[in-house]
Amino acid sequence: MVRRRSDKSATFKVNGALDMISKSSITDFYKNSQAEYPAGIEKEVGHFNIFEIEKLFDKKTGSRIMPYSRRSYYKVSLLRGKSRAEYADKVVDIREGALLFATPRIPYHWIPQDDNQTGMFFIFTEDFLAKNKVGVVVDELPIFRPGALPIFELSEAERTELEYIFRKMQRELASDYIYKYDLLRNLVLEVIHFGQKLQPMAALDPVHNASERISSLFVELLERQFPIESPQQRLKLRAAKDYADRLAVHVNHLNKVLKEVTGQTTTDIITKRIVQEAKILLKQTDWTVSEIAYTLGFDDPAHFSNFFKKQASFSPVAFRS
């Protein structure tokens, strides 16, 4: 069973002094693991590779823990075994196994909870699934929409079907077929669509009415401001009116729409997202509280501290320690 819970004790420690939030690139991935770089990939636009979890580990630590970072690539994992996925303010316990989708937008930390970890995962860059090659924009697919936490428990039949697709990817990548990367793109999309079918059907419905369209555009505007990657970067849209002005609607109408679609007010949604980013910055950078306050749009650090304590029940300093 996949279980989501809040767990402040499981949050991550700051890993030394950082000028920028740690990002794991494709180069970093191969450098820090036993992964073999695919032959001939240099001729391809974008990057793709697939791995077996039990055959891969971190060279530096000797562990199979995937470090907490904002990866510069997409990752889809077919997991079997007890493990945990940690996000900024959420922890997901994976009891038996799951299908996990990860994007460059959302940092997470995967931690095995026993020695019986098996399964496979593949990685790909945005260029690999470029619109001119597959006809879709990857970040516009429902599985990768902002706010989603796409980890899905699988039945044995679903796991078997997915394992067949993953193994087929592995065989095609090792083949000499001249069009193998075109075939691999199709297989990646097949896995993505498989995952999207596991979501509630309502989440896959196209946006038809004005309320859903406004709500979708609001979320896009909000998420476009993240992640915060340097102390000089600053949120430009912080108040409900800022978003209403950009969307050319009255602030009361925007609030009414979001309340109908999400059950939350505009201010509630903005506040939760700012608090989520504040937690990431407090745990993953050595920026001062004043610098973090500035990047999140607060002119007065004391105002930020009061805001954060009200929302998180801890002062920024206490949360960081």
Side-chain angles (χ1 to χ4, degrees):
M1 187 175 95
V2 178
R3 179 166 59 89
R4 187 186 309 177
R5 64 183 175 82
S6 175
D7 188 349
K8 290 187 175 62
S9 65
T11 51
F12 15 81
K13 297 294 182 183
V14 178
N15 295 320
L18 297 173
D19 293 327
M20 302 280 284
I21 294 175
S22 173
K23 276 194 174 183
S24 179
S25 68
I26 289 289
T27 302
D28 295 332
F29 176 85
Y30 286 97
K31 182 180 179 181
N32 297 326
S33 71
Q34 281 194 327
E36 183 178 345
Y37 202 80
I41 190 70
E42 294 83 1
K43 299 177 182 178
E44 182 62 27
V45 176
H47 186 96
F48 172 88
N49 208 347
I50 185 165
F51 311 92
E52 294 187 54
I53 290 172
E54 60 269 33
K55 294 181 181 179
L56 198 66
F57 64 91
D58 190 289
K59 284 181 179 178
K60 292 180 179 177
T61 64
S63 74
R64 294 192 180 106
I65 295 175
M66 298 298 178
Y68 183 95
S69 63
R70 283 191 171 97
R71 293 163 177 82
S72 62
Y73 49 86
Y74 295 79
K75 180 179 177 184
V76 182
S77 304
L78 181 59
L79 307 171
R80 185 187 287 270
K82 186 178 180 182
S83 61
R84 170 180 292 177
E86 295 183 358
Y87 295 80
D89 54 355
K90 296 181 181 68
V91 173
V92 179
D93 283 338
I94 301 168
R95 298 288 183 86
E96 297 176 2
L99 179 65
L100 184 154
F101 292 82
T103 85
R105 292 184 179 186
I106 304 172
Y108 78 99
H109 188 179
W110 179 72
I111 308 172
Q113 298 294 294
D114 58 34
D115 294 328
N116 301 315
Q117 300 296 318
T118 59
M120 304 178 74
F121 69 89
F122 61 83
I123 60 175
F124 64 93
T125 58
E126 185 176 6
D127 289 343
F128 184 75
L129 287 192
K131 186 176 181 180
N132 66 331
K133 289 185 176 290
V134 296
V136 298
V137 177
V138 131
D139 281 336
E140 292 181 0
L141 292 168
I143 202 82
F144 295 127
R145 281 179 184 163
L149 195 62
I151 303 178
F152 304 103
E153 184 180 19
L154 300 169
S155 68
E156 197 58 40
E158 289 167 338
R159 190 189 313 279
T160 300
E161 185 176 350
L162 280 166
E163 187 169 347
Y164 173 79
I165 301 172
F166 276 63
R167 292 293 179 189
K168 187 173 183 180
M169 287 179 176
Q170 199 174 40
R171 291 193 300 271
E172 292 300 336
L173 186 61
S175 76
D176 295 325
Y177 181 48
I178 191 172
Y179 300 114
K180 67 181 179 182
Y181 286 106
D182 291 327
L183 181 52
L184 285 165
R185 287 184 183 91
N186 290 332
L187 292 172
V188 169
L189 287 175
E190 186 174 352
V191 173
I192 289 172
H193 286 298
F194 192 105
Q196 289 182 164
K197 288 180 181 180
L198 299 176
Q199 295 189 38
M201 290 303 293
L204 303 179
D205 288 343
V207 177
H208 288 304
N209 60 55
S211 292
E212 289 179 339
R213 186 166 58 251
I214 290 171
S215 176
S216 177
L217 289 172
F218 165 79
V219 171
E220 182 182 341
L221 278 177
L222 177 64
E223 289 298 327
R224 195 181 293 167
Q225 299 188 94
F226 301 99
I228 301 292
E229 296 181 308
S230 100
Q232 288 71 49
Q233 184 180 345
R234 198 178 199 211
L235 294 189
K236 295 180 179 178
L237 307 177
R238 283 207 59 242
K241 189 176 186 306
D242 297 334
Y243 290 89
D245 290 345
R246 287 288 186 94
L247 296 170
V249 298
H250 193 280
V251 66
N252 291 343
H253 181 61
L254 176 61
N255 198 55
K256 179 175 180 291
V257 162
L258 291 174
K259 189 71 174 176
E260 288 175 352
V261 174
T262 71
Q264 302 177 75
T265 67
T266 312
T267 300
D268 286 343
I269 297 171
I270 297 169
T271 296
K272 287 179 181 179
R273 188 62 184 88
I274 290 175
V275 170
Q276 180 186 39
E277 194 69 10
K279 289 179 177 180
I280 292 172
L281 295 174
L282 287 166
K283 290 292 186 180
Q284 288 294 303
T285 76
D286 66 346
W287 305 350
T288 66
V289 171
S290 294
E291 287 174 325
I292 292 173
Y294 173 82
T295 65
L296 296 176
F298 294 86
D299 293 319
D300 182 1
H303 181 201
F304 167 69
S305 294
N306 291 335
F307 164 85
F308 187 86
K309 187 172 184 178
K310 181 179 179 181
Q311 300 300 324
S313 301
F314 291 92
S315 69
V317 173
F319 181 82
R320 170 173 264 172
S321 61

